[in-house]
Amino acid sequence: MLFFVFSSFSEKTDYQYKSNRFWVYADELKASLVHLDTTANAYKLNKTEIENVRAAVKLARFSYKKIEFFFAFYHQEYVNEHINGAPLLHIKKSGMLPDVIQPEGLQVLDELVHEDEKDLNANLIATNSRKLFNAYQLLYKGLKTKTIEPENEIAAMRLGLVRIFTLGVTGFDTPGSLNVIEEARVSMEAMNAFLKDFYQHTPSKELKDVINLFSKSIHYLKQPISFEDFDRLVFLKAYINPLYQKLGELDDKEVPDFLSYVSAWNPKSESIFSEDFLNPYFFTELKKEEDFKALNSLGEKLFYDSALSENRQISCASCHNPKLAFTDGQPKSLSNIEGNTVLRNSPTLLNAVYAERFFYDLRAFSLEQQAEHVIFNPEEFNTAYDAILKKLTNNGAYASSFEKVFGKDQINRENFSKALSSYVLSLTSFDSEFDEFINNENATLSKDIKNGFNLFMGKANCATCHFPPTFSGLVPPFYSDSESEILGVLKNPKEKEILLDTDEGRWQNSISNEKAWIYEKSFKTTTVRNTGLTAPYFHNGAYTTLEEVIDFYNDGGGEGKGLKVINQTLSPDPLNLSDKEKQDLIAFIKSLNGKEAVKLNQ
């Protein structure tokens, strides 16, 4: 369904004025895509140079950026699929077997037209330009048939700010040109123009302050500086986060119903780095109104109880020890079978709830389902719900606790899952040194950490997979999808013979409609938060230090080391980080260690 709305006004003149700006931008984008289609076709026929195509792509991207915060808010799925999705192969679930779909849109074109001259493909450029024009035509015609009603402009802008910072200035959105600063400026100029329209009709000091801050941020983005030298920390702390907060203070409207179904974002949050920026209940079957302290306490008791496992020797805490930031410090967790290990390394449970999919191979779709896999796994709990529930029923203390929380005779599978989920989702960690600095709770941050953050968000390309503020593969700005990546992780980085790890990852997660070659050796992108406390690293636990991990990325992963890695999603090009830059990166990563996690670790 195609529809569009604007922010609320009562007077017809306001409505008409706002509609005019929207259609000016919408028509401008249409014209720029016509020009791109014409130029790309001319290039295909050897009638123009690639520089003209690059200029046409740049113009089209600028036109899109003026209106992206609207389109991406109301037409997220369509935009990702056809207008400006990541240039990565993906699947379309068709019955039991998946179809591999080629990406399309502006990001794809940005990458295609900036290939090395020998790799330029004129036919592919022309085909994608025509696809983009046709896709936008469909969206445009649909909008023309709808009544544009004012609504939710501020919420769209706030998510637009999140998008600029997490996907824009990191280079994720411009994989070929890295034209991040100009595009950010164009986006913010457009949002500011809409606010100025509003200000003319409904002036207020608060709105004027926001407009002034937008103007200052735009001026900051006009500085002549390179992609690598751009200070993203200043941009975040002085402009993006304050604008996010001040815009939120202007918005007193109810959140649109559709948003709560498609996004984990909390519109009531005041900072991109606040603990309540995301809604953890978006990822669980447990509802917020069902959760309370007594339920959490019951879940905590269950978490540490080894009697629930078949051999009464293993609890959740066996692999998720709070003193080790809820990991176990082993390359691969120990099995209940003596001398054996389970398949993979145990990731931290801190902030683990913030994921659309769970486990390294993404085989579980909720926290509750994640627990089920552990319960039934012959090498872990090796039991079943009926056995667990029988133990709980026969235990007087548990019987009393369940009755207190749920009522009499309420020891069942659903309530057991609710209690465990309540505890696990409470294991949040947004109290790091870096968080406190961004949220103005701490005035200082070392130069090394500041430089490390800018490297993480820029030159080192870390943030194009580990997105703020979770620094995981949870994709902004809606934070409703979890990414997996193919890195080419080595079996043992310490050995002279370089061998690819044999674990097939997502390719073998037993979900038939994901059995696609593009997921061979693909693994979930886990959080960087608290990784200073959670060695060893990666799914196989083969990397014992952060230095080894950064060296792996610096070399371009497995493919960068000369191995044949099918569909490696990590660029094989070396990052060329200096020794000092590597240490600054580690300093920043350690600044994401939560204070409570550090305290328990001591």
Side-chain angles (χ1 to χ4, degrees), residues 8 38 95 229 256 266 333 369 457 500 521 541 547 550 596:
S8 55
T38 302
D229 292 330
N266 173 21
S333 297
Q369 198 177 98
M457 298 291 292
L500 200 61
K521 299 188 186 303
E547 284 80 2
I550 289 174
E596 186 64 26

Side-chain angles (χ1 to χ4, degrees), residues 129-348:
S129 297
R130 176 56 57 90
K131 280 184 178 181
L132 177 58
F133 172 73
N134 289 339
Y136 182 66
Q137 277 284 87
L138 179 61
L139 181 61
Y140 183 89
K141 288 178 180 178
L143 295 174
K144 284 289 189 182
T145 68
K146 303 295 176 182
T147 301
I148 299 177
E149 296 180 356
E151 193 69 43
N152 300 319
E153 183 181 69
I154 297 297
M157 286 187 183
R158 295 183 80 206
L159 280 181
L161 292 172
V162 175
R163 182 182 293 104
I164 288 169
F165 186 72
T166 58
L167 302 179
V169 297
T170 61
F172 177 93
D173 201 44
T174 48
S177 66
L178 293 181
N179 189 27
V180 304
I181 302 173
E182 277 190 287
E183 290 201 359
R185 174 182 56 78
V186 169
S187 294
M188 297 189 84
E189 284 174 342
M191 286 190 276
N192 201 30
F194 275 102
L195 285 174
K196 285 179 178 178
D197 291 346
F198 188 19
Y199 181 71
Q200 290 182 25
H201 299 281
T202 315
S204 72
K205 180 184 181 304
E206 291 77 13
L207 188 55
K208 185 177 181 180
D209 288 343
V210 173
I211 291 171
N212 287 338
L213 186 53
F214 258 114
S215 297
K216 289 178 181 178
S217 67
I218 292 164
H219 178 75
Y220 183 75
L221 290 167
K222 288 181 178 179
Q223 60 180 318
I225 199 163
S226 68
F227 172 86
E228 291 186 5
D229 292 330
F230 180 61
D231 195 328
R232 292 160 177 84
L233 185 58
V234 169
F235 186 51
L236 169 65
K237 188 172 169 62
Y239 303 109
I240 289 288
N241 217 34
L243 276 170
Y244 178 85
Q245 179 180 354
K246 288 182 179 297
L247 278 172
E249 292 170 356
L250 291 178
D251 196 10
D252 59 358
K253 302 179 188 68
E254 289 298 317
V255 179
D257 288 340
F258 83 87
L259 195 60
S260 63
Y261 294 106
V262 301
S263 176
W265 173 58
N266 173 21
K268 302 299 183 184
S269 59
E270 297 181 357
S271 167
I272 298 172
F273 281 79
S274 62
E275 187 168 355
D276 68 347
F277 176 71
L278 298 177
N279 170 24
Y281 299 97
F282 179 82
F283 306 104
T284 68
E285 296 168 19
L286 179 68
K287 298 179 177 62
K288 184 177 182 179
E289 56 269 22
E290 297 175 315
D291 200 6
F292 57 105
K293 187 175 181 180
L295 180 66
N296 183 272
S297 297
L298 175 57
E300 182 177 8
K301 186 176 180 181
L302 294 169
F303 185 88
Y304 291 96
D305 193 347
S306 59
L308 300 182
S309 63
E310 190 274 336
N311 65 4
R312 295 178 174 268
Q313 300 298 314
I314 294 178
S315 71
C316 300
S318 298
C319 297
H320 301 286
N321 185 343
K323 293 183 179 180
L324 297 172
F326 289 88
T327 65
D328 60 10
Q330 302 296 319
K332 296 178 180 179
S333 297
L334 296 177
S335 165
N336 62 34
I337 302 170
E338 189 174 351
N340 286 6
T341 68
V342 299
L343 182 61
R344 300 184 179 113
N345 175 261
S346 178
T348 180

Side-chain angles (χ1 to χ4, degrees), residues 88 172 347-348 351-352 354-362 456 461-468 470-476 481-487 506 521-529 531 538-539 553 569-570:
L88 297 170
F172 177 93
T348 180
N351 298 333
Y354 299 107
E356 175 243 355
R357 302 281 290 274
F358 298 84
F359 291 110
Y360 276 109
D361 59 11
L362 283 78
F456 189 96
N461 289 337
C462 309
T464 57
C465 294
H466 295 275
F467 307 107
T470 63
F471 293 101
S472 70
L474 190 62
V475 184
D481 296 307
S482 292
E483 277 196 348
S484 65
E485 301 286 348
I486 300 171
L487 307 176
R506 192 172 179 179
K521 299 188 186 303
S522 183
F523 296 91
K524 179 180 177 179
T525 304
T526 55
T527 182
V528 173
R529 285 182 176 272
T531 49
F538 291 123
H539 66 275
Y553 283 110
T569 52
L570 173 69

Side-chain angles (χ1 to χ4, degrees), residues 451 455 459 576-585:
N451 189 45
L455 287 164
K459 178 182 177 181
N576 297 315
L577 299 173
S578 68
D579 289 342
K580 177 63 168 61
E581 287 174 328
K582 292 177 185 178
Q583 289 306 309
D584 287 350
L585 261 179

Side-chain angles (χ1 to χ4, degrees), residues 344 360-362 484-491 499-509 514-525 538-540 552 558-559 563-570:
R344 300 184 179 113
Y360 276 109
D361 59 11
L362 283 78
S484 65
E485 301 286 348
I486 300 171
L487 307 176
V489 172
L490 303 185
K491 185 175 183 179
L499 297 174
L500 200 61
D501 189 77
T502 56
D503 192 335
E504 294 296 333
R506 192 172 179 179
W507 168 256
Q508 290 186 344
N509 67 7
E514 290 188 358
K515 186 72 173 177
W517 61 270
I518 63 170
Y519 293 142
E520 186 176 346
K521 299 188 186 303
S522 183
F523 296 91
K524 179 180 177 179
T525 304
F538 291 123
H539 66 275
N540 61 359
F552 170 78
E559 191 175 346
L563 296 174
K564 182 179 180 181
V565 184
I566 298 173
N567 192 39
Q568 179 170 305
T569 52
L570 173 69

Side-chain angles (χ1 to χ4, degrees), residues 361-523:
D361 59 11
L362 283 78
R363 67 184 182 271
F365 290 80
S366 68
L367 264 187
E368 290 79 2
Q369 198 177 98
Q370 185 268 343
E372 288 183 359
H373 283 269
V374 175
I375 288 168
F376 292 118
N377 190 337
E379 294 197 336
E380 295 183 86
F381 272 38
N382 190 33
T383 187
Y385 276 110
D386 58 350
I388 290 175
L389 298 177
K390 185 177 180 180
K391 290 178 181 179
L392 296 176
T393 301
N394 293 335
N395 183 302
Y398 274 124
S400 176
S401 295
F402 270 84
E403 183 172 348
K404 178 182 176 182
V405 173
F406 299 107
K408 192 174 182 179
D409 299 326
Q410 291 297 309
I411 297 179
N412 55 45
R413 178 172 177 169
E414 181 183 3
N415 290 339
F416 171 82
S417 293
K418 284 181 179 179
L420 202 53
S421 292
S422 174
Y423 179 65
V424 175
L425 73 79
S426 72
L427 301 177
T428 57
S429 180
F430 293 95
D431 61 344
S432 71
E433 178 183 5
F434 185 79
D435 295 312
E436 290 184 343
F437 177 74
I438 295 300
N439 292 324
N440 300 314
E441 297 164 5
N442 188 341
T444 60
L445 199 67
S446 76
K447 184 178 179 181
D448 291 349
I449 294 174
K450 290 179 178 179
N451 189 45
F453 173 77
N454 279 317
L455 287 164
F456 189 96
M457 298 291 292
K459 178 182 177 181
N461 289 337
C462 309
T464 57
C465 294
H466 295 275
F467 307 107
T470 63
F471 293 101
S472 70
L474 190 62
V475 184
F478 282 82
Y479 296 94
S480 55
D481 296 307
S482 292
E483 277 196 348
S484 65
E485 301 286 348
I486 300 171
L487 307 176
V489 172
L490 303 185
K491 185 175 183 179
N492 188 338
K494 298 176 180 63
E495 291 185 355
K496 288 185 178 180
E497 185 180 8
I498 300 175
L499 297 174
L500 200 61
D501 189 77
T502 56
D503 192 335
E504 294 296 333
R506 192 172 179 179
W507 168 256
Q508 290 186 344
N509 67 7
S510 298
I511 299 173
S512 58
N513 58 17
E514 290 188 358
K515 186 72 173 177
W517 61 270
I518 63 170
Y519 293 142
E520 186 176 346
K521 299 188 186 303
S522 183
F523 296 91

